Amino acid sequence: MVDVNETTRPRQGSGNTATAGSAERTPEFRWAMDAYAGLRRDLFHDAFAYRPLPPRRTDGAVAHRLPGRTGDIAAYLPHAVVCFFAFLAMAYGYERSLSGLSGGFPFLLNGLLLAVPVVMTLVRPIGAFWLSCAAVVLTGMMADHGSMSPWTPGSGLMHLTVLAVVALRTRPRVSLNMWLVTLGLSVVLSVVRGRSDTLGGVQVAIFYGMVLLVISVGHIRKDAERQVSAEKSVTAVERDRRTVLEERTNIARELHDVVAHHMSVVAIQAEAAPYRVENPPPELAQAFATIRENAVAALTELRRVLGVVRAEDYEAPDAPQPTLADLDGLLANVREAGLPVEKVITGAVRELPQGVELSAYRIIQEALSNTLRHAPGAGARVEIGYVLGGLGLRILNGPATGEAGPSQGSGHGLTGMAERVAMLGGQMTAERTAEGGYEVTVFIPVTAAEPERDREPEPEPGVDLAKRTEERT
């Protein structure tokens, strides 16, 4: 049996352990450990890894205009610049080694010691930084340059070049860690050399920090621009996808009236058919009744689907959906808005499926609206061709003669046209003309169909069709 007091009594020394654990978990301690972990990842982990500097792209605005192989040579311009600064660092080391270094330090070795870290940044950037720090230690211990001590002109130029190249090739956090190491190195060397005034070395390190700050800000800005560009691309894709869905919803709303009309006609004719035959067989009457029930059920489901895709502010149209027979009214309205438009019809005019005529009307309407918005002062021409296999449309406008104002449309008119054409299995092209205008060409295939039979007029509301038929007989 376990004693409750034994299980709840704290063990001896547990309080000290908790106190130590809480001290280790302070925000300052965590920040210090994170900083140390970042320093290890950036400057110690695979410090001498092989990371060659790739050549520049040659498809830029300037490089691709260079003749011959000059463009290929220009791709290695950054490498040449780094090598030039390595030569300058070596020249400074050579000049100062003649009189500035003590202990008989060979001038050639001094120049190479300052040039190698700069060249090494092209292949092993982090390793080049540590080699540069080692060169700074050697030159700082063996040479003196007055107020800049422990920096000499050669070591200062060399280390600045290394910091700049490595910062350009890495991310901002690496620049911060390199600057902290450089600042600590400058202070320690000044103390080791027995100089009480470390202000000069610290000032040089602060100047290095300013250079690294400018490079880091440039990195952050490029990363932000790259992220914004990626987000814009994703947003554009989502916007196009949403626009396609909206256009399909609009098409579904418009075609609802067309489909609903045909389904209503099927239901009425199926109900009236048995009364057209004297003493129809029961099987025939039952078949027509089944047809009517299915048509009414389909019409009900169609209305439910329309309720799903209907927007909150959607208002059902009072008039029937337009067809090509209503095109003259549209053209008259466009002419009143200031757009001279000409209509040309070729082929034998015939009645087409209502969905085809509705889509053709909307395509012409959108094309003329685009002309009004984007080509003020231009004229337009609408060509309608009735061919054996379908319907051809061509809406052409000339170049604009005035300045276009701000567009009030959604900017996705072509998307709506393409969706209508794709729904009907047609083809569409939209492109600029050589004269500076715009041309939209559409072909909608139409299969040959039998001529429609006479339709039974719809009954008046509240009157039963069977009752009316009995009264007539």
Side-chain angles (χ1 to χ4, degrees):
M1 183 174 181
V2 181
D3 188 1
V4 177
N5 294 329
E6 287 291 333
T7 58
T8 57
R9 184 184 301 117
R11 296 182 180 180
Q12 186 177 359
S14 61
N16 296 333
T17 304
T19 304
S22 62
E24 292 179 357
R25 295 182 178 88
T26 58
E28 293 81 4
F29 179 80
R30 289 198 300 268
W31 180 86
M33 293 303 296
D34 291 342
Y36 174 69
L39 179 65
R40 289 188 57 185
R41 286 193 300 268
D42 294 337
L43 299 183
F44 291 96
H45 182 67
D46 290 338
F48 288 86
Y50 182 68
R51 301 183 182 95
L53 177 66
R56 296 186 59 184
R57 297 174 56 183
T58 59
D59 56 351
V62 179
H64 78 282
R65 298 181 180 178
L66 298 177
R69 295 181 55 84
T70 309
D72 298 335
I73 298 175
Y76 293 92
L77 180 61
H79 303 71
V81 172
V82 172
C83 293
F84 173 73
F85 276 94
F87 172 77
L88 290 181
M90 184 175 64
Y92 268 104
Y94 169 80
E95 189 272 334
R96 289 296 170 185
S97 65
L98 294 179
S99 59
L101 292 179
S102 60
F105 193 82
F107 68 89
L108 182 59
L109 180 60
N110 181 46
L112 292 176
L113 182 64
L114 300 180
V116 169
V118 179
V119 177
M120 191 175 175
T121 57
L122 298 176
V123 289
R124 304 181 190 274
I126 304 299
F129 167 73
W130 288 117
L131 187 59
S132 175
C133 292
V136 170
V137 172
L138 291 176
T139 57
M141 294 299 294
M142 302 180 64
D144 191 4
H145 194 65
S147 61
M148 284 183 59
S149 181
W151 302 97
T152 64
S155 66
L157 176 61
M158 176 269 300
H159 199 66
L160 176 61
T161 305
V162 170
L163 289 177
V165 175
V166 176
L168 289 171
R169 297 194 58 191
T170 55
R171 54 183 182 271
R173 193 181 67 182
V174 178
S175 301
L176 175 61
N177 290 326
M178 289 193 303
W179 181 77
L180 292 176
V181 173
T182 301
L183 179 62
L185 185 65
S186 180
V187 174
V188 170
L189 283 176
S190 298
V191 173
V192 170
R193 287 178 57 89
R195 296 183 58 89
S196 59
D197 184 14
T198 60
L199 182 60
V202 173
Q203 287 177 343
V204 174
I206 291 176
F207 172 72
Y208 290 165
M210 295 175 61
V211 174
L212 293 176
L213 179 61
V214 173
I215 296 176
S216 299
V217 169
H219 269 304
I220 295 173
R221 180 178 178 181
K222 286 184 178 180
D223 292 341
E225 291 177 350
R226 195 178 301 112
Q227 184 177 1
V228 170
S229 178
E231 291 179 355
K232 285 184 178 179
S233 300
V234 174
T235 302
V237 172
E238 293 297 331
R239 184 173 59 249
D240 293 341
R241 185 179 302 173
R242 184 176 63 251
T243 301
V244 170
L245 294 177
E246 291 177 354
E247 292 297 334
R248 290 178 179 177
T249 302
N250 293 332
I251 295 172
R253 295 171 186 159
E254 293 179 352
L255 291 181
H256 165 265
D257 294 341
V258 177
V259 178
H261 170 73
H262 289 294
M263 295 301 296
S264 299
V265 171
V266 170
I268 293 174
Q269 290 184 343
E271 185 178 3
Y275 300 100
R276 295 177 177 268
V277 181
E278 185 177 358
N279 298 324
E283 295 82 2
L284 180 62
Q286 182 61 36
F288 281 114
T290 303
I291 293 174
R292 181 185 181 282
E293 291 175 0
N294 291 333
V296 172
L299 187 59
T300 303
E301 294 298 329
L302 181 63
R303 288 171 179 169
R304 290 177 182 174
V305 172
L306 181 66
V308 173
V309 301
R310 179 184 292 127
E312 295 180 357
D313 56 349
Y314 174 75
E315 295 181 1
D318 297 332
Q321 295 292 350
T323 62
L324 291 177
D326 305 313
L327 188 60
D328 291 336
L330 172 63
L331 300 183
N333 293 334
V334 172
R335 294 188 185 101
E336 292 179 358
L339 175 63
V341 58
E342 177 186 3
K343 183 181 74 170
V344 177
I345 299 179
T346 58
V349 179
R350 67 182 186 274
E351 184 179 357
L352 301 174
Q354 196 169 357
V356 174
E357 296 210 2
L358 171 61
S359 297
Y361 180 92
R362 294 302 187 194
I363 291 171
I364 297 174
Q365 183 183 36
E366 184 62 36
L368 295 178
S369 299
N370 289 341
T371 302
L372 284 171
R373 286 193 297 263
H374 305 296
R381 178 185 176 92
V382 177
E383 299 179 1
I384 305 174
Y386 291 87
V387 296
L388 183 62
L391 177 68
L393 301 175
R394 182 171 180 262
I395 304 95
L396 174 67
N397 66 268
T401 59
E403 183 177 357
S407 177
Q408 302 297 326
S410 61
H412 299 281
L414 293 177
T415 303
M417 298 183 199
E419 283 299 315
R420 292 181 183 276
V421 175
M423 176 191 64
L424 298 172
Q427 298 177 352
M428 169 183 164
T429 59
E431 57 188 1
R432 292 194 174 276
T433 61
E435 294 78 12
Y438 208 83
E439 179 182 7
V440 177
T441 306
V442 175
F443 176 76
I444 302 175
V446 179
T447 57
E450 298 180 358
E452 298 184 2
R453 298 187 177 94
D454 295 336
R455 299 174 180 174
E456 180 74 12
E458 298 185 7
E460 299 178 0
V463 179
D464 184 65
L465 181 60
K467 193 174 186 179
R468 290 176 55 193
T469 307
E470 291 177 358
E471 293 177 352
R472 290 180 182 176
T473 57

